[in-house]
Amino acid sequence: MGPLSLLCSSSVALSPPPPPSPAQLRAAAAAAATPVPRASSVQRKLTSAALAGALSFGLLLSPPSIAAESSPAPTTRSEPPAVEYCREEEGEDGAAAVPERVTNEGIVEEAWSIVNESFLGTGRRSWSPEAWQRKKEDILSTSIPTRSKAHELIRRMLAGLGDPYTRFLSPDEFSRMARYDMTGIGINLREVQDDDGMVRLKVLGLLLDGPAHAAGVRQGDEILTVNGDDIRGKSAVEVSSLLQGPNGTSVKIEVKHGNCGPVHSFEVQRQLVARTPVLYRLEDAENGMSIGYIRLKEFNALAIKDLVTAMKRLQEMGSSYFILDLRDNLGGLVQAGIEIAKLFLNQGETVTYTVGRDSQYQTTITAGAAPLVKDPVIVLVNNKTASASEIVASALHDNCRAVLVGERTFGKGLIQSVFELDDGSGVVVTIGKYATPNHMDINGNGIEPDYRSLPAWNEVNKHISQCKMLRQG
């Protein structure tokens, strides 16, 4: 099975959005999750939502997916043998890896290993590898007769970390994360860099019994084409968007199994289970101004596409100002939040900073293109604006693109990854945290708004102009 991309959210499922560590990449054959023996759960990663992110972006990403092995599907087109030496991953004895039977002790140790590899302690209780090793020895010193006992031990083990966001998910809770599928066909994509520097898109995880899994796509497959178009050079989010479409329609994909082929073509029926989180309308204001109001309820698989549609339509209708309502938005896929923030920022401007135990989580995320909207923005926030919502709000505020109106935000700037365990249950683990473009720690602090109630638009323009002058020194 495998970890999902990182989701950062104060809601039950996870944001943001999170990516495998170097150890995970080595252990899981480039972290795209090629099937390997169950040596440790760190080999399998499901966000970032915050990471994640949710998808592949060197962060976490994002979408819940359930890594599941499937039997080989009929070959419809085979690729000629590669010229260079190509070797699939092998077990220690040189034979192809065969999954072991899941044991109660193995499930507990799997959860322990994930924390040992990735957990970032951010609370009052200090965390140390030595104490965590003793915890493992204590737990595994006696037999674990039932699966329910194993799950209870995991719950207690994680509770002892003192982090309310690091928690156990029952198989039922884990399966409900399907609404974060970013593709609509039940796969989670990750960008993986080869030794030669080539970036490939691989299937990090599969939604068990989802459309792609049923068609024959496997964990670890490399995506080659979508509807006949070569996707080399495209990002995971771009390809996820190509895979999306109306519920019940089909998309043709071409994949390569493993490192050496063969190549298969599949026609997969879309089954997007997420509901649109976007509501929008055009409002008339004084002085003949038209205000585009957008309510974003959560950062799910449809958030980016539907928000872009709303913004374009409002512009066509004559909107000259925007209100982005993030009140009561607890988060979701972190990567969706990051991509949405970029829609408002100039190329090169900072969206957020990430901090973690592993160097790959110590990154600066910036916008890579011109903004879709340059008009002034008011962002509405309250004490239930959390996680990915806080990333968006702080990115627009600190880059002088918006003013914040309402109440101090919740204060959840942690990065979680969601890992599936071998019995279909899962664990959500805090692996990092976010800081605003102005280097403010979101977690535990929240973001203070500029105004408690809606200001006049001339006041908004004045505030944004002053912000830009201060940034320029």
Side-chain angles (χ1 to χ4, degrees):
M1 311 281 191
L4 231 174
S5 153
L6 176 26
L7 303 178
C8 184
S9 165
S10 56
S11 61
V12 81
L14 333 254
S15 259
S21 66
Q24 293 170 319
L25 293 171
R26 292 191 296 271
T34 40
V36 293
R38 195 199 64 74
S40 85
S41 60
V42 180
Q43 296 169 346
R44 299 175 297 283
K45 187 152 190 242
L46 284 182
T47 82
S48 158
L51 95 42
L55 278 280
S56 37
F57 284 64
L59 234 183
L60 359 126
L61 196 32
S62 359
S65 53
I66 300 180
E69 297 181 10
S70 58
S71 58
T75 302
T76 55
R77 181 172 74 79
S78 294
E79 190 180 62
V83 175
E84 71 274 12
Y85 175 67
C86 183
R87 179 176 62 83
E88 296 283 8
E89 294 299 310
E90 299 178 346
E92 294 181 359
D93 60 356
V98 177
E100 301 173 4
R101 185 176 68 86
V102 179
T103 66
N104 297 327
E105 289 78 11
I107 291 296
V108 175
E109 186 169 1
E110 190 179 16
W112 179 92
S113 297
I114 291 172
V115 173
N116 191 57
E117 282 280 332
S118 307
F119 177 69
L120 177 70
T122 59
R124 296 179 179 178
R125 302 183 192 179
S126 60
W127 182 88
S128 71
E130 295 77 18
W132 194 241
Q133 179 64 38
R134 291 193 296 271
K135 173 75 71 174
K136 173 185 175 182
E137 294 168 356
D138 291 342
I139 290 176
L140 296 179
S141 61
T142 58
S143 64
I144 306 174
T146 64
R147 187 54 48 87
S148 61
K149 178 66 174 177
H151 289 174
E152 180 58 29
L153 285 173
I154 295 172
R155 286 190 181 92
R156 288 164 46 193
M157 180 173 69
L158 299 181
L161 294 170
D163 175 15
Y165 303 110
T166 295
R167 61 197 185 277
F168 174 79
L169 299 174
S170 68
D172 286 344
E173 290 172 324
F174 188 88
S175 66
R176 287 199 293 269
M177 289 182 181
R179 70 179 182 274
Y180 290 94
D181 169 26
M182 290 289 286
T183 65
I185 63 172
I187 62 174
N188 179 31
L189 297 178
R190 173 151 183 86
E191 296 165 11
V192 178
Q193 189 171 35
D194 288 350
D195 293 338
D196 60 4
M198 176 80 69
V199 175
R200 305 179 188 276
L201 284 183
K202 292 196 174 184
V203 177
L204 174 63
L206 285 161
L207 183 65
L208 187 62
D209 297 326
H213 176 241
V217 178
R218 301 180 194 171
Q219 185 180 358
D221 283 356
E222 179 185 349
I223 306 295
L224 302 176
T225 67
V226 175
N227 286 330
D229 294 332
D230 191 333
I231 56 86
R232 283 179 296 185
K234 295 184 183 297
S235 70
V237 161
E238 290 177 293
V239 174
S240 293
S241 181
L242 293 175
L243 292 170
Q244 289 179 14
N247 192 46
T249 61
S250 295
V251 60
K252 293 181 180 179
I253 62 173
E254 192 174 63
V255 306
K256 183 170 71 172
H257 284 335
N259 296 326
C260 309
V263 172
H264 299 271
S265 294
F266 301 107
E267 184 166 337
V268 185
Q269 189 176 50
R270 297 180 174 105
Q271 187 180 337
L272 194 61
V273 296
R275 294 183 179 181
T276 180
V278 176
L279 300 173
Y280 66 96
R281 63 178 180 266
L282 189 69
E283 297 184 346
D284 293 327
E286 296 179 0
N287 303 322
M289 293 191 308
S290 295
I291 310 299
Y293 171 86
I294 302 175
R295 169 94 166 95
L296 183 57
K297 296 184 290 185
E298 70 169 333
F299 294 89
N300 68 6
L302 297 178
I304 302 171
K305 179 178 289 186
D306 288 359
L307 184 69
V308 169
T309 298
M311 291 166 64
K312 288 182 176 178
R313 288 182 179 173
L314 288 169
Q315 285 180 313
E316 292 170 357
M317 295 164 67
S319 174
S320 51
Y321 294 86
F322 283 89
I323 293 177
L324 178 61
D325 192 348
L326 297 179
R327 290 175 297 180
D328 300 325
N329 185 327
L330 294 174
L333 292 172
V334 168
Q335 196 60 44
I338 289 171
E339 294 305 309
I340 284 172
K342 291 178 181 179
L343 298 176
F344 296 87
L345 303 182
N346 295 311
Q347 184 174 3
E349 289 182 327
T350 299
V351 177
T352 189
Y353 299 100
T354 66
V355 179
R357 282 172 59 192
D358 196 289
S359 59
Q360 72 168 321
Y361 299 126
Q362 300 169 12
T363 59
T364 301
I365 301 171
T366 59
L372 180 62
V373 167
K374 295 183 179 180
D375 302 308
V377 181
I378 288 177
V379 179
L380 303 181
V381 296
N382 64 7
N383 58 10
K384 292 183 180 178
T385 299
S387 189
S389 295
E390 292 175 288
I391 292 174
V392 173
S394 63
L396 271 60
H397 176 268
D398 290 3
N399 286 289
C400 306
R401 287 290 294 112
V403 298
L404 306 185
V405 178
E407 304 170 332
R408 179 184 288 273
T409 63
F410 182 83
K412 182 179 184 292
L414 299 178
I415 303 170
Q416 276 84 42
S417 272
V418 182
F419 297 79
E420 185 183 20
L421 304 180
D422 274 339
D423 67 343
S425 61
V427 290
V428 181
V429 178
T430 295
I431 61 171
K433 63 180 181 178
Y434 290 101
T436 73
N438 286 345
H439 299 280
M440 297 283 292
D441 189 348
I442 295 173
N443 195 61
N445 299 312
I447 304 166
E448 185 68 28
D450 301 301
Y451 302 94
R452 294 294 174 180
S453 58
L454 279 173
W457 281 102
N458 62 346
E459 182 66 22
V460 172
N461 289 326
K462 180 180 178 181
H463 190 284
I464 290 177
S465 296
Q466 290 176 340
C467 176
K468 290 178 179 179
M469 291 176 61
L470 288 173
R471 288 190 70 195
Q472 293 171 357

